[in-house]
Amino acid sequence: MAPVRTVCVYCGSGFGRDPAFRTAAEGLGTAIAQAGMRLVYGGGDVGLMGTVARAALEAGGHVTGIIPDFLQAREHMLAEVQETVVVPDMHTRKRLMFERSDAFVTLPGGIGTLEELVEQLTWAQLGRHRKPVVLVSVAGFWEPLLALFAHMRGHGFIREGLDLSYLVATEAAEVVPLLRRTGHEPDPEAEVIVKERM
């Protein structure tokens, strides 16, 4: 298994109601940078998104922000990052985030965060990539989703042989050790198929 060098973080453009979410975003950004890993994220300077990026920068990390042009004003691009990629649409944003990352970590967030997470789980389920996917269930945030997965399994919609591949951390401090243990298995052929289908 190859080491994880670049981590894509999905998270909310808001802070949520629990202060633990912001604390987790700060801790995750710091941990990624201190581990010598690079951060790829959605490019904004708002909510948990801006928090994780700023924490990584303050800890000396390298940050790449990828943002669609129509969100530049709404999400206030973070100018301090080393690399900003402005793309024409959400599909291109997600494709580049996928291509540039060795692993995906999901903090609390809204429907956009959920959509990004589920896309990676689906691609992994279909054998299109073997990159680790980690849900950071701060204060049990992702427990209802995990219960929904179990519900789908129970009703036969997540079948044996097509189970979902993900890891669950309950706090940000667990993420880097998890990624170091799992690494990622490069599969260029599978990634080419993903690109062609997008």
Side-chain angles (χ1 to χ4, degrees):
M1 300 292 278
V4 170
R5 301 186 188 283
T6 305
V7 180
C8 175
V9 174
Y10 301 130
C11 57
S13 58
F15 290 109
R17 293 199 173 105
D18 192 330
F21 302 156
R22 178 181 264 179
T23 300
E26 290 171 348
L28 180 61
T30 300
I32 287 170
Q34 289 178 343
M37 298 173 177
R38 295 179 169 221
L39 170 68
V40 172
Y41 86 115
D45 189 20
V46 292
L48 300 185
M49 190 189 312
T51 301
V52 72
R54 284 193 173 279
L57 288 170
E58 287 168 10
H62 185 282
V63 178
T64 297
I66 303 177
I67 191 166
D69 53 11
F70 75 92
L71 283 180
Q72 287 183 71
R74 185 187 306 178
E75 294 188 350
H76 311 289
M77 287 195 318
L78 181 55
E80 293 88 341
V81 302
Q82 289 89 346
E83 181 184 20
T84 298
V85 182
V86 179
V87 296
D89 52 53
M90 294 292 284
H91 295 293
T92 307
R93 178 199 222 179
K94 292 189 295 177
R95 176 175 59 82
L96 288 181
M97 290 173 88
F98 172 81
E99 289 174 3
R100 289 175 173 235
S101 303
D102 301 320
F104 307 94
V105 176
T106 308
L107 287 167
I111 197 71
T113 302
L114 178 62
E115 187 254 353
E116 291 167 325
L117 165 65
V118 170
E119 185 169 65
Q120 293 307 333
L121 291 175
T122 303
W123 289 355
Q125 184 188 45
L126 297 174
R128 300 301 89 197
H129 76 82
R130 297 187 182 97
K131 301 176 182 182
V133 178
V134 181
L135 287 79
V136 188
S137 193
V138 181
F141 183 84
W142 292 114
E143 288 303 317
L145 179 63
L146 299 175
L148 178 59
F149 292 162
H151 177 73
M152 291 172 173
R153 265 185 223 101
H155 283 276
F157 288 105
I158 299 177
R159 301 183 301 280
E160 188 175 342
L162 284 174
D163 210 348
L164 301 180
S165 177
Y166 58 85
L167 302 162
V168 179
T170 57
E171 54 187 52
E174 299 171 7
V175 173
V176 166
L178 271 177
L179 294 178
R180 282 184 166 149
R181 284 200 300 273
T182 57
H184 73 106
E185 186 173 341
D187 190 346
E189 182 179 339
E191 293 185 18
V192 166
I193 293 171
V194 170
K195 293 175 198 175
E196 289 173 350
R197 290 187 178 182
M198 293 187 73

